[in-house]
């Protein structure tokens, strides 16, 4: 009986692997991006690409575990919600007021350690910024918001 249950769970896990999340590339209009519109210093853009772009852009990088269900379903939710809240690739879709607001929110989220999310940093060690870089980034967002 126990064996049967274990076997069924295993079968379900195997079958789930046939459902893959959509990772097809989304075309990016470079003139519309945050990078192009805001022209942040290279150091800041690079840091944001490492710590924010997987969830807040159409330039998501998918590590191996995003190919493993059901973990992949959970990650897909994060990416979807992250892009809905803020998408650096389609930055210019925001009006001026919303841009200012987003810049302000970014500074605040980073300062309060809400973003990047702790679980993400655990899996992406490079997304952990040293204090000096973090302060430079917060200052830049505050200056521009
Ligand atoms: C693992 C995915 C992930 C990463 C990485 C990530 N975010 Fe987010 N972010 C989210 C999700 C999901 C939301 C929407 C739900 C929420 O507020 O928690 C969000 C919301 C936000 C918001 C909107 C808050 C609001 O209430 O309007 C801002 C601003 C933001 N993130 C900035 C950043 C910045 C800046 C970085 C990098 C330093 C970053 N995020 C990294 C997933 C992520």
């Amino acid at each position: 009986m126990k064996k049967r249950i274990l076997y069924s769970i295993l079968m379900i896990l195997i079958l789930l692997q046939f459902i893959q999340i959509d990772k097809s590339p989304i075309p990016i209009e470079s003139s519309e991006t945050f990078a192009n519109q805001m022209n942040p210093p290279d150091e800041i853009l690079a840091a944001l690409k490492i710590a924010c772009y997987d969830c807040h852009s159409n330039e998501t990088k998918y590590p191996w575990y995003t190919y493993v269900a059901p973990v992949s379903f959970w990650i897909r939710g994060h990416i979807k919600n992250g892009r809905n809240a803020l998408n650096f690739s389609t930055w210019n879709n925001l009006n001026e007021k919303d841009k200012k607001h987003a810049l302000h929110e970014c500074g605040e989220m980073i300062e309060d350690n809400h973003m990047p999310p702790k679980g993400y940093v655990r899996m992406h060690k490079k997304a952990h910024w040293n204090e000096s870089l973090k302060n430079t980034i917060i200052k830049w967002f505050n200056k521009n918001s």
Side-chain angles (χ1 to χ4, degrees), residues 2 13-14 18 21 25 30 34 43 49-50 52 61-62 68 74 77 79 83 94 98 115-116 118 120 132-133:
K2 221 173 167 186
L13 279 175
I14 290 171
F18 288 97
I21 63 170
S30 65
F34 167 82
E43 182 196 27
K49 284 198 171 183
I50 289 171
C52 317
K61 293 200 175 70
Y62 295 99
V68 183
W74 179 71
I79 298 172
R83 282 178 182 160
L94 299 176
D98 289 345
M115 294 286 153
K118 286 197 180 64
Y120 180 85
S132 126
L133 177 59

Side-chain angles (χ1 to χ4, degrees), residues 77-129:
H78 273 177
I79 298 172
K80 187 165 164 276
N81 294 338
R83 282 178 182 160
N84 280 342
L86 172 70
N87 191 330
F88 287 115
S89 301
T90 56
W91 177 257
N92 216 19
N93 286 353
L94 299 176
N95 63 35
E96 290 311 307
K97 187 166 156 262
D98 289 345
K99 280 178 191 164
K100 292 271 178 214
H101 180 70
L103 293 165
H104 175 77
E105 287 284 314
C106 283
E108 207 166 77
M109 288 281 161
I110 295 169
E111 189 157 22
D112 295 346
N113 294 319
H114 285 317
M115 294 286 153
K118 286 197 180 64
Y120 180 85
V121 179
R122 218 171 292 133
M123 297 299 286
H124 301 77
K125 295 277 182 267
K126 282 191 185 151
H128 179 77
W129 301 331

Side-chain angles (χ1 to χ4, degrees), residues 24-30 33 58-59 89-90:
S24 43
I26 304 170
I28 291 166
E29 195 74 61
S30 65
T33 61
N58 296 335
E59 297 175 40
S89 301
T90 56

